[in-house]
Amino acid sequence: ECPKCYALTQKQCGCGRKMMTSKCYVEYPCCGDLCKKPLLCGLHNCNKACHGGPCEDSSAEQEKSCGNPCNAGKLYCDHQCTAPCHPNQNCPQGACDSNVTITCPCGNITEQAKCLRGGSNTAYNNDNYIRLECTDDCAMKLRRRQLAVAFGRAEDGSDIVPNYSIFLTNAAASSPKFVARVEDQLQHLIKSDEANIRFPPMNSFYRNVIHQLTEHYKLESVSYDHEPYRNVVVTKNLRSTIPNVTL
């Protein structure tokens, strides 16, 4: 038997869509794409990686099931038929068991449930997946929305500007670099996985700046030790958030 030829040559890949530089002894080089050659069922394409030779085994027949999921679009919903390939046959009838998100009429409450369209209960076919009842929480949310519209405010309060004290605004004017550094550290604490941050010892003026700033970030601050080593430890909680407008 002759040894393998390792000379480089141009060959058509197994799926036939590209010319590849390959070693001579490789009969069908792989281009890395999916084969996508039509299968004998007439509905699907080969989903194997690029290869040479037949895509199916010798038992495959023309216009017979290839065994892949049908994936045809369903009549009453946007989901696909999950039954095995069935050439020349209608998709099985029955309620769709795909997962969907159902809501209450106002959209405040959502749950995961089965689609159920196409089944014996035709009421599901045109319900827009609105299948839950509104609660008192929905009524409160609607009331907040109406008040926000009436007063020209954002419903979630995102347009509320923090009311910084005169002490803090004066501190920002006299020590802008210090205030900016503190706010950077507070924002980093909220965004990170850290639970708290300890500031180095400092005088009462700067400690007071930190204490007042943490209130706007909904953080907790406590001073420890005696002068001149008194320092501030800031701790994060579930309510902690970065203000819409920083100092």
Side-chain angles (χ1 to χ4, degrees), residues 4 18 63 67 73 98 148-149 168 235 243:
K4 294 179 179 179
K18 294 182 181 179
E63 297 187 357
S98 297
V149 171
L168 283 178
T235 304

Side-chain angles (χ1 to χ4, degrees), residues 39-189:
L39 300 179
L40 293 178
C41 68
L43 299 175
H44 301 105
N45 297 326
C46 177
N47 57 11
K48 299 176 184 177
C50 172
H51 66 90
C55 299
E56 301 171 89
D57 58 34
S58 58
S59 63
E61 298 181 42
Q62 196 77 28
E63 297 187 357
K64 297 293 184 181
S65 175
C66 65
N68 290 316
C70 171
N71 287 337
K74 292 188 174 181
L75 181 61
Y76 294 103
C77 63
D78 296 330
H79 302 114
Q80 297 175 321
C81 175
T82 56
C85 172
H86 45 86
N88 302 319
Q89 297 178 19
N90 294 327
C91 292
Q93 298 299 310
C96 176
D97 62 354
S98 297
N99 289 326
V100 296
T101 300
I102 60 176
T103 69
C104 63
C106 74
N108 183 48
I109 305 173
T110 61
E111 288 183 9
Q112 291 296 306
K114 298 298 182 182
C115 175
L116 300 180
R117 290 184 177 178
S120 57
N121 189 346
T122 57
Y124 291 133
N125 293 344
N126 298 292
D127 65 355
N128 293 323
Y129 299 117
I130 299 175
R131 302 175 186 171
L132 301 175
E133 297 292 333
C134 283
T135 63
D136 292 341
D137 184 58
C138 297
M140 291 183 63
K141 186 172 182 178
L142 176 61
R143 179 59 177 163
R144 287 196 299 268
R145 184 181 299 121
Q146 292 171 337
L147 288 173
V149 171
F151 289 98
R153 306 301 298 268
E155 183 182 347
D156 59 359
S158 59
D159 61 341
I160 297 176
V161 178
N163 184 21
Y164 293 108
S165 65
I166 295 178
F167 172 80
L168 283 178
T169 55
N170 287 340
S174 61
S175 305
K177 291 184 178 180
F178 172 77
V179 171
R181 188 164 61 251
V182 171
E183 289 202 293
D184 285 343
Q185 291 179 278
L186 296 182
Q187 292 174 23
H188 173 75
L189 174 62

